[in-house]
Amino acid sequence: MAALDSLDVSILRELLTRPRAGMREFARTLGIARGTVHTRMSRLERLGVITDYAPRISPAQLGFPILAFVHLHLAQGQLARVTRALVLVDEVLEAHTTAGEGDVLCRVAARDTEHVEEIIQRFLQLPGVVRCRTEIVLSERLPSRITSLLSLVAQDLASNDTKAAPQGPDAPLS
């Protein structure tokens, strides 16, 4: 885990809230030098905190309005082989290994339910896939988000600052 401070959290919030604003605008809003913003963002990239600057694009607006989650159950020792094969299935938006029901969870975009069925049949033909379980998304109730985690990080930082402050009769007066 990367060590963040309150300025890092503020920069990340600005980036998430206004991704098209530039470093000069972030510096103005935060009241810091543009070089500071640039240095901090470069550091956050190196640490892997900032992983992408790509826009969020709607699969539905590209002609893929059906979203499904497909749990793949794999034969023992087939994870790497199946992962290599999943890269070749364009409709797979994400794939995660999981604990619990199934071994790999795929988020899939499709044109219609018949297309979902075609994708499932392709999955079942992959060497190493034993069976699938599919869930069709009816509607999105909470979009992908990360700002709520930044609030928790900020709370943790504030809590740590309070704990680190000297207490008692010898503590400096503020």
Side-chain angles (χ1 to χ4, degrees):
M1 182 175 124
L4 303 179
D5 63 17
S6 59
L7 181 55
D8 293 327
V9 171
S10 295
I11 291 170
L12 291 170
R13 277 195 177 133
E14 285 293 317
L15 183 61
L16 289 169
T17 305
R18 300 178 311 135
R20 295 181 68 165
M23 288 189 209
R24 178 174 286 135
E25 180 61 21
F26 293 157
R28 187 188 67 72
T29 302
L30 296 171
I32 59 176
R34 189 172 70 84
T36 301
V37 173
H38 181 270
T39 301
R40 291 293 186 113
M41 286 181 69
S42 295
R43 178 178 152 273
L44 293 169
E45 289 170 12
R46 276 194 319 277
L47 292 172
V49 176
I50 297 174
T51 59
D52 201 353
Y53 290 95
R56 186 170 174 201
I57 297 173
S58 167
Q61 296 305 315
L62 295 176
F64 299 87
I66 304 295
L67 183 63
F69 291 97
V70 182
H71 299 262
L72 304 179
H73 297 258
L74 309 183
Q76 290 290 322
Q78 296 299 307
L79 180 60
R81 183 179 192 181
V82 170
T83 300
R84 285 191 300 273
L86 289 175
V87 170
L88 303 175
V89 180
D90 293 328
E91 296 89 347
V92 175
L93 305 177
E94 297 176 47
H96 304 272
T97 53
T98 59
E101 181 67 22
D103 300 299
V104 176
L105 176 64
C106 298
R107 186 169 69 102
V108 174
R111 291 182 179 92
D112 51 37
T113 55
E114 289 82 14
H115 190 194
V116 173
E117 185 176 9
E118 290 170 21
I119 296 165
I120 293 167
Q121 292 306 314
R122 277 192 271 160
F123 286 160
L124 291 170
Q125 292 173 7
L126 296 176
V129 174
V130 176
R131 66 185 174 95
C132 300
R133 184 173 62 83
T134 304
E135 299 167 359
I136 303 286
V137 173
L138 299 177
S139 64
E140 181 181 80
R141 297 297 178 165
L142 184 63
S144 178
R145 63 186 186 152
I146 197 83
T147 53
S148 58
L149 294 180
L150 287 176
S151 296
L152 294 176
V153 170
Q155 288 173 9
D156 290 345
L157 289 170
S159 173
N160 288 339
D161 287 347
T162 302
K163 290 177 188 173
Q167 303 283 326
D170 296 329
L173 300 174
S174 40

